[in-house]
Amino acid sequence: MIQLNNVKRHYVMASETIKALDGITLSIQEGERIILLGPSGSGKTTLLNCISGLDTPTYGEYLFDGISVTGNSEELTTFRRKNVGYVFQFFNLLQDLTVLENVLLIQELSGQRDVNRAKEVLSLVGLEGEIDRFPSEISGGQQQRVAIARSIAKNPKLLLGDELTGNLDTETSAKVMNVLTEACQKENITTVMVTHDESLAKYATRVIRLDSGKVKSDERVS
Amino acid sequence: MIQLNNVKRHYVMASETIKALDGITLSIQEGERIILLGPSGSGKTTLLNCISGLDTPTYGEYLFDGISVTGNSEELTTFRRKNVGYVFQFFNLLQDLTVLENVLLIQELSGQRDVNRAKEVLSLVGLEGEIDRFPSEISGGQQQRVAIARSIAKNPKLLLGDELTGNLDTETSAKVMNVLTEACQKENITTVMVTHDESLAKYATRVIRLDSGKVKSDERVS
Ligand SMILES: Nc1ncnc2c1ncn2[C@@H]1O[C@H](COP(=O)(O)OP(=O)(O)OP(=O)(O)O)[C@@H](O)[C@H]1O
Ligand SMILES: Nc1ncnc2c1ncn2[C@@H]1O[C@H](COP(=O)(O)OP(=O)(O)OP(=O)(O)O)[C@@H](O)[C@H]1O
Ligand SMILES: [Mg+2]
Ligand SMILES: [Mg+2]
């Protein structure tokens, strides 16, 4: 499904070049559930942004279903809206839209508006009581759960999550990971989840560790 | 040092009243290191905002060193700038200032500008190489560490941290908690840290658990 060949992402600064990704070669098959671990600054967010098409590698190749994911920005945007669900490290919710509207918007952008489905996923993550509030009127963990619900409301082929449970207590994390894993198994969604919580490996089929922009280890686990 | 008497924080919405804090009575002595735990939505951020003076209770009383923390907004702002260091759940860094400038600004607002001290705390959290970059040019965990460095750069009497290590891997978390605990013991800083990571209790003298806006348990631990 996904093939990265010697992908590099460099930032050329005044005094130095930052090698955020320094030669990543990876294959990801459909239906895999990958946990991506690594120290702060090791390149996890950068890798997810390249996989989602939000960022473009400086060198190397990225193939999705055998087709090179490059081309102009509009093609990339269409690709992403159609195929990718993304839970961002800082959620990226629209502050002027309610919780429900934030979910509906993502559905509309991929032509799948469905109010019942939107309410259903919000209810699965425990937010049925908050659907008409704005992001500024709910807690940090509630905002994170809106971001999670939003990412699965449009049935993406590929689900990317960055620090998926960083703001959630143990009990809510477990509930949310169960909801996600079930939804992904049911719809055969491929997932790559960044986390610092090693205990989430139990929901995965494969654990990849990054260090300084390179793959340090890559193991099947389930 | 801090006394909360039956503090409530209600949000009156169209269809219901949200009781974010529902009667909190607590005393905090100088030098205590408190870990504040509780499920998502239980009132932790709201409690920190009341303690810092960023928010005002709807009912009840808040005394700091025996003086009621109310009064006009300017008095509260002076109180906070003078006494409180705060690591926000979403960091609140200024995007147009560099990492170093973000730290210097907080020092200036409390009349304690000290470039050497600013560089020292940034180095303690492993960011000496990033001081001239902007928040948008560093990773999530690096941003969190800027927020942490910023909070101790002005030697506050009271240090509040919301999800202090939510975006940090285990190794970086431990390093940062050691830096903080050492700085707080050395300067006798009182701390209240919100976290979902129960393992951080080993750095604390007391563990308070919230549930639905109330104190569920409150135990000395060290
Ligand atoms: N502006 C607001 N209007 C209405 N309700 C609010 C507002 N801000 C917060 N709340 C509600 O108050 C309650 C407590 O929120 P708070 O942010 O303190 O929780 P928290 O313990 O920090 O949660 P988390 O662990 O998810 O960050 C939640 O039910 C939240 O939805
Ligand atoms: N716009 C940018 N300009 C320069 N360097 C950058 C930029 N964005 C990221 N970096 C650097 O690239 C490296 C990787 O960043 P990335 O955000 O991918 O790390 P991460 O693994 O997600 O870290 P964390 O766990 O802290 O979120 C870091 O050293 C970071 O400082
Ligand atoms: Mg990141
Ligand atoms: Mg909170």
Side-chain angles (χ1 to χ4, degrees):
Chain A
M1 184 191 199
I2 283 174
Q3 180 65 44
L4 300 171
N5 291 324
N6 200 26
V7 161
K8 301 187 185 193
R9 178 63 172 99
H10 290 176
Y11 292 99
V12 181
M13 315 291 279
S15 51
E16 54 178 335
T17 292
I18 312 291
K19 296 180 181 176
L21 296 179
D22 193 19
I24 303 269
T25 295
L26 272 184
S27 306
I28 300 176
Q29 312 304 327
E30 219 174 298
E32 288 199 80
R33 292 191 306 283
I34 296 172
I35 293 275
L36 184 59
L37 297 166
S40 174
S42 55
K44 305 178 297 296
T45 296
T46 306
L47 180 55
L48 283 193
N49 285 343
C50 285
I51 290 175
S52 68
L54 272 167
D55 193 12
T56 317
T58 322
Y59 305 106
E61 194 180 34
Y62 171 24
L63 305 167
F64 192 98
D65 286 349
I67 300 168
S68 179
V69 177
T70 44
N72 64 46
S73 177
E74 203 174 306
E75 282 175 8
L76 270 179
T77 306
T78 311
F79 161 79
R80 186 168 53 255
R81 281 182 182 173
K82 188 152 144 324
N83 295 304
V84 184
Y86 201 155
V87 186
F88 293 92
Q89 191 163 7
F90 302 112
F91 320 154
N92 296 27
L93 301 179
L94 292 175
Q95 300 296 318
D96 300 331
L97 297 185
T98 65
V99 162
L100 180 61
E101 289 166 346
N102 263 282
V103 176
L104 290 173
L105 176 63
I106 293 302
Q107 286 180 327
E108 279 172 25
L109 291 176
S110 61
Q112 297 182 42
R113 183 191 168 100
D114 181 342
V115 182
N116 288 331
R117 168 78 177 151
K119 288 183 176 178
E120 177 195 15
V121 292
L122 283 165
S123 176
L124 282 174
V125 296
L127 295 177
E128 59 279 359
E130 281 79 18
I131 62 173
D132 296 321
R133 286 201 232 162
F134 292 91
S136 60
E137 297 175 328
I138 59 180
S139 78
Q142 287 168 335
Q143 292 174 39
Q144 184 151 41
R145 284 181 272 154
V146 176
I148 292 165
R150 181 176 74 159
S151 72
I152 53 175
K154 70 173 183 185
N155 296 318
K157 261 179 132 177
L158 175 66
L159 179 58
L160 304 177
D162 201 345
E163 285 310 332
L164 211 62
T165 56
N167 278 279
L168 301 176
D169 57 281
T170 318
E171 190 173 327
T172 314
S173 289
K175 176 173 173 182
V176 157
M177 288 308 293
N178 280 321
V179 164
L180 267 182
T181 311
E182 227 179 88
C184 293
Q185 282 174 320
K186 181 155 158 266
E187 318 269 0
N188 200 32
I189 299 173
T190 310
T191 64
V192 183
M193 305 280 168
V194 169
T195 181
H196 289 307
D197 184 354
E198 305 241 349
S199 75
L200 298 195
K202 64 176 172 278
Y203 299 99
T205 60
R206 183 174 167 195
V207 176
I208 296 174
R209 287 179 197 273
L210 290 191
D211 201 339
S212 307
K214 292 176 152 70
V215 172
K216 181 167 146 184
S217 68
D218 185 347
E219 301 178 73
R220 308 280 150 175
V221 290
S222 69
Chain B
M1 184 191 201
I2 285 175
Q3 180 66 44
L4 300 171
N5 291 322
N6 199 26
V7 162
K8 301 187 184 192
R9 179 62 172 98
H10 290 177
Y11 292 99
V12 181
M13 315 292 280
S15 50
E16 54 180 333
T17 293
I18 311 292
K19 297 180 180 174
L21 296 180
D22 194 19
I24 303 270
T25 295
L26 270 183
S27 306
I28 299 176
Q29 311 305 327
E30 217 173 298
E32 288 200 81
R33 291 192 305 284
I34 296 172
I35 293 275
L36 183 59
L37 296 165
S40 174
S42 55
K44 306 179 296 299
T45 296
T46 307
L47 180 56
L48 283 194
N49 285 343
C50 286
I51 289 174
S52 68
L54 272 168
D55 194 11
T56 316
T58 322
Y59 304 107
E61 195 180 33
Y62 171 24
L63 305 166
F64 192 98
D65 285 350
I67 301 168
S68 179
V69 178
T70 43
N72 64 47
S73 175
E74 202 174 307
E75 284 175 6
L76 271 178
T77 305
T78 310
F79 161 78
R80 186 169 52 257
R81 281 183 182 172
K82 188 152 147 325
N83 295 304
V84 185
Y86 201 156
V87 187
F88 294 92
Q89 190 162 7
F90 302 113
F91 320 156
N92 295 29
L93 301 179
L94 293 176
Q95 300 297 316
D96 299 333
L97 297 185
T98 65
V99 163
L100 180 60
E101 288 165 347
N102 263 282
V103 175
L104 290 173
L105 176 64
I106 292 302
Q107 286 180 329
E108 280 172 26
L109 290 176
S110 61
Q112 296 182 43
R113 183 191 168 101
D114 180 343
V115 182
N116 288 332
R117 169 78 176 150
K119 288 183 174 177
E120 176 195 16
V121 292
L122 282 165
S123 175
L124 282 175
V125 296
L127 295 177
E128 60 278 357
E130 282 77 20
I131 64 174
D132 296 322
R133 286 202 232 160
F134 292 91
S136 61
E137 299 176 326
I138 58 179
S139 77
Q142 288 168 335
Q143 292 173 41
Q144 184 151 40
R145 284 181 272 156
V146 176
I148 291 165
R150 181 176 74 159
S151 71
I152 53 175
K154 72 171 183 186
N155 297 319
K157 262 179 133 179
L158 175 67
L159 179 58
L160 306 176
D162 201 346
E163 285 311 331
L164 212 60
T165 58
N167 277 281
L168 301 176
D169 56 279
T170 317
E171 191 173 326
T172 314
S173 288
K175 176 173 176 185
V176 157
M177 287 309 293
N178 281 320
V179 163
L180 268 183
T181 312
E182 224 178 275
C184 294
Q185 282 172 323
K186 181 154 159 271
E187 319 268 358
N188 199 32
I189 299 173
T190 309
T191 64
V192 183
M193 306 281 171
V194 169
T195 181
H196 289 305
D197 184 354
E198 305 240 349
S199 77
L200 298 196
K202 64 176 174 279
Y203 299 99
T205 59
R206 182 173 166 195
V207 177
I208 296 174
R209 286 179 197 275
L210 291 191
D211 201 340
S212 308
K214 292 175 152 70
V215 172
K216 181 166 143 182
S217 68
D218 185 347
E219 299 178 76
R220 308 279 151 177
V221 290
S222 69

